[in-house]
């Protein structure tokens, strides 16, 4: 279980660019929850994910993972609990290193690294098996540099890397947004297979409301640094895109106009 | 002829010893993507510490190791300035380098030069036992050292810590998200790098039989030049060990060119300018090529649209051209 209690974050405090990105945010993520996160631009979705991952210290509040208070832990210490896939396919992999090197780095997420070999023969089989699950033929290219892969292939590898060592929580921040529609669909399908197949706990930010409704067991909507709508189970399954738009207008008092959300109706 | 041979031999031996320094620069510049300016100071530091230690009666091998450790500590200082106090890497290196100038003078008791005279050294050890000349002995010791250093680096960068270090240079965000404290990897890399540079300084001082406050001036540029030369000559090699080897070859060629140029009457003081130009040109060429290619690829008319008669793109282009004319 992961919990955020009264978490706030203000960027550029005391300047004209001051921005309260998280405003007393509360959220409890149960084990096995696959939560989709929606909300307008600047609502604080990425900030929430980054706060959980420890990219920056929060101003106040408490973040717990499996009962451990990690609020003050730096990013690299929380890494043992968290797998991440970023929006930018370039960000999740080391381009100059081989596919198997990237996977081996990910397999050691959160472990103390020593002077043993990074690449081990007995682990290669795992890499091959896992890569073949992607169905991209990468299992025969273990020693190719990742920089040779396409954006979609890299994103698929990143997804694999984030889950190679089972994470307590998987954070996906618009991880298909930079891909062309066909590739995005492939990566999304892989995401469902992995998260549902391995019963992972995950937070997935998306601007596609249909995806947000059809994927996962729970949906949360954010606005101005708060969670304004949290729905799960049967109620979520019955949702329509129109429902969501109405909910948003009612809760925030503004319209979803001029927003990417409109486009993906 | 024998004069030229002697010059060649001296340059090759020095090249191999300087090659150890280039391997240090390779770690920071190629693997970590940080041009570390500590090099100039840590090279001299290695030479100063080693010669002073030898003159005070310490075993030459131990004195050489002390040179290595002194460089390592200089690298750690730069690393701490950069990681703990978040001073930009280049500035951190400059600060350490400037500070080391005073430290090095202090170590040599205020004198700008510290001659070894007839004192024992790791090289005289070989000379005494084999009857070889100073530079031949230096070459043998240098080759042995280079082989050991490359072997150790090859091993180290294949380990978990070494791989994390390479990943830090490749994609710091990623490796941090995978649980590595990149402050640690950077600190290790800077220390290791300058340790090798200090070792190189210690060896060069023993070969030349003196340490000099200016012996490391321009070391970083020589290091970069050697890496560039090595890459041009051996641009096809993929194996990491061979890449390291190519950097050492680059150092040898650099020192050969320098020795011949001086032989031909070039002022030794002009070498700094030549090195700087060499590195600047080597770094500028890829950029210039890309810009030229972009320029050459631009066409006034959209050839693609012209080939596909009646496509929307062409119509749009014509429309905007008309608008341009009307505007005038
Ligand atoms: N590092 C930062 N420094 C300053 N301001 C920031 C920073 N990160 C986010 N912000 C601001 O905080 C607010 C919330 O940003 P956030 O990126 O969390 O929004 P989001 O919901 O992910 O939006 P989007 O859908 O556009 O990705 C925005 O106003 C943004 O400008
Ligand atoms: Mg975002």
């Amino acid at each position: 279980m992961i919990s955020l209690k009264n978490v706030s974050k203000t960027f550029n405090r005391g300047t004209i660019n001051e921005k309260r990105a998280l405003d007393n945010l509360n959220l409890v993520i149960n084990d096995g929850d696959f939560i989709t996160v929606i909300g307008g631009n600047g609502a604080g979705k990425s900030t929430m994910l980054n706060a959980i991952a420890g990219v920056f210290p929060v101003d106040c509040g408490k973040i717990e993972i499996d009962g451990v208070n990690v609020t003050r832990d730096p990013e690299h210490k929380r890494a043992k609990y968290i797998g991440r896939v970023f929006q930018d396919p370039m960000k999740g992999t080391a381009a100059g290193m081989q596919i198997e090197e990237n996977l081996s780095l990910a397999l050691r997420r959160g472990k103390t690294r020593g002077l043993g070999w990074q690449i081990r023969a007995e682990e290669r089989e795992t890499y091959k098996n896992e890569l073949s699950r992607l169905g991209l033929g990468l299992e025969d290219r273990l020693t190719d540099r990742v920089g040779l892969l396409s954006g979609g292939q890299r994103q698929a590898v990143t997804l694999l890397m984030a889950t190679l060592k089972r994470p307590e929580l998987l954070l996906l921040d618009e991880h298909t947004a930079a891909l062309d529609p066909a590739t995005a669909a492939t990566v999304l399908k892989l995401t469902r297979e992995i998260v549902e197949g391995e019963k992972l706990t995950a937070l997935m930010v998306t601007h596609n409301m249909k995806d947000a409704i059809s994927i996962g067991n729970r949906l949360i909507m954010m606005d101005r640094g708060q969670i304004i709508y949290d729905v799960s189970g049967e109620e979520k399954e019955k949702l329509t895109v129109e429902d969501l738009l109405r909910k948003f207008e009612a809760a925030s008092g503004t319209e979803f106009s001029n927003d990417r959300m409109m486009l993906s109706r | 002829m024998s004069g030229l041979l002697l010059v060649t031999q001296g340059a090759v031996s020095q090249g191999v010893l300087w090659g150890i320094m280039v391997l240090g620069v390779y770690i920071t510049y190629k693997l970590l993507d940080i041009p570390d300016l500590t090099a100039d100071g840590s090279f001299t530091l290695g030479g100063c510490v080693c010669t002073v230690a030898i003159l005070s009666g310490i075993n030459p091998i131990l004195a050489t190791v002390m040179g290595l450790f002194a460089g390592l500590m200089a690298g750690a200082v730069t690393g701490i300035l950069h990681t703990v106090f978040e001073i930009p890497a280049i500035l951190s290196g400059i600060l350490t380098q400037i500070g080391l100038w005073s430290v090095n003078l202090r170590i040599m008791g205020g004198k700008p030069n510290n001659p070894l005279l007839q004192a024992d050294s790791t090289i005289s050890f070989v000379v005494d036992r084999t009857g070889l000349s100073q530079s031949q002995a230096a070459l043998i010791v240098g080759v042995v050292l280079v082989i050991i250093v490359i072997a150790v680096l090859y091993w180290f960068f294949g380990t978990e810590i070494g791989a994390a270090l390479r990943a830090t240079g490749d994609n710091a965000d990623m490796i941090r998200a995978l649980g590595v404290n990149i402050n640690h990897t950077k600190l290790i890399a800077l220390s290791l790098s300058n340790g090798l540079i200090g070792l190189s300084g210690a060896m060069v001082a023993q070969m030349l039989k003196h340490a000099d406050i200016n012996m490391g001036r321009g070391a970083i540029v020589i290091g970069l030049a050697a890496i560039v030369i090595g890459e041009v000559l051996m641009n096809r090699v993929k194996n990491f060990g061979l890449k390291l080897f190519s950097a050492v070859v680059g150092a040898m060629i650099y020192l050969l060119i320098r020795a011949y140029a001086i032989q031909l009457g070039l002022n030794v003081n002009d070498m700094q300018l030549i090195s700087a130009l060499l590195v600047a040109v080597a770094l500028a060429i890829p950029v210039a090529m890309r810009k030229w290619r972009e320029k050459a690829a631009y066409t006034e008319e959209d050839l693609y649209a012209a080939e596909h008669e009646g496509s929307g793109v062409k119509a749009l282009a014509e429309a905007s051209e008309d608008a341009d004319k009307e505007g005038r």
Side-chain angles (χ1 to χ4, degrees), chain A residues 142-160:
Chain A
L142 279 182
T143 56
D144 274 8
R145 288 192 309 111
V146 167
L148 298 171
L149 307 184
S150 69
Q153 287 173 327
R154 280 180 79 164
Q155 205 64 329
V157 171
T158 310
L159 187 62
L160 193 58

Side-chain angles (χ1 to χ4, degrees), chain B residues 45-119:
Chain B
L45 177 68
C48 295
V49 167
C50 178
T51 52
V52 168
I54 286 177
L55 288 174
S56 68
I58 291 172
N59 175 299
I61 294 179
L62 189 60
T64 308
V65 173
M66 286 169 69
L68 185 152
F69 270 97
L72 205 123
M73 271 149 59
V77 170
T78 302
I80 288 167
L81 289 176
H82 176 49
T83 58
V84 178
F85 300 106
E86 297 181 13
I87 298 172
I90 295 194
L91 187 54
S92 301
I94 293 177
L95 291 175
T96 310
Q97 186 203 112
I98 301 278
L100 277 176
W101 198 82
S102 308
V103 172
N104 290 335
L105 270 180
R106 282 268 174 199
I107 292 172
M108 295 195 293
K111 295 174 298 170
N113 197 294
N114 194 27
L116 274 179
L117 303 173
Q118 296 311 312

Side-chain angles (χ1 to χ4, degrees), chain A residues 41-42 44-47 87 173-174 205 207 260:
Chain A
N41 291 119
K45 306 181 294 293
S46 299
T47 307
Q87 179 172 353
D173 192 354
E174 297 191 55
V205 177
H207 272 280
R260 272 187 288 158

Side-chain angles (χ1 to χ4, degrees), chain B residues 111-297:
Chain B
K111 295 174 298 170
N113 197 294
N114 194 27
L116 274 179
L117 303 173
Q118 296 311 312
D120 279 343
S121 72
T122 53
I123 292 166
S124 74
F125 180 83
V126 176
V127 172
D128 293 347
R129 251 144 265 242
T130 59
L132 292 169
S133 73
Q134 178 81 357
S135 74
Q136 283 168 334
L139 182 61
I140 291 173
V141 176
V143 167
V144 170
L145 267 180
V146 161
I147 290 172
I148 293 173
V149 170
I150 289 184
V152 169
L153 292 182
Y154 189 85
W155 162 76
F156 177 71
F157 285 105
T159 66
E160 292 175 344
I161 294 177
L165 205 150
R166 284 187 288 138
T168 304
D170 195 313
N171 188 341
D173 286 336
M174 176 203 78
I175 198 67
R176 201 189 301 110
L178 292 178
V180 171
N181 185 343
I182 62 167
N183 282 353
H184 290 173
T185 47
K186 284 181 175 177
L187 191 62
I188 293 172
L190 284 164
S191 304
L192 179 61
S193 162
N194 283 289
L196 292 177
I197 296 171
L199 171 64
S200 174
M203 291 311 297
V204 169
Q206 290 177 72
M207 179 189 172
L208 300 178
K209 293 189 178 174
H210 72 269
D212 186 290
I213 189 66
N214 287 322
M215 68 187 282
R217 174 166 293 173
I220 179 68
V221 179
I222 295 173
L224 298 182
I227 290 171
V228 166
I229 294 171
E231 276 184 343
V232 170
L233 287 179
M234 301 172 73
N235 60 352
R236 265 169 229 280
V237 305
K238 287 247 156 57
N239 180 284
F240 182 64
L242 287 179
K243 281 187 183 172
L244 294 177
F245 178 66
S246 80
V248 177
V249 171
M252 270 160 54
I253 297 199
Y254 176 88
L255 282 160
L256 269 176
I257 295 172
R258 182 171 89 167
Y260 290 149
I262 293 168
Q263 196 73 359
L264 291 173
L266 187 102
N267 186 332
V268 66
N269 294 331
D270 290 336
M271 254 341 263
Q272 298 274 13
L273 176 63
I274 294 173
S275 317
L277 284 175
L278 180 67
V279 174
V281 168
L283 296 181
I285 283 176
V287 179
M289 296 247 289
R290 175 179 48 93
K291 287 194 174 161
W292 181 80
R293 242 183 274 120
E294 282 169 3
K295 219 180 209 168

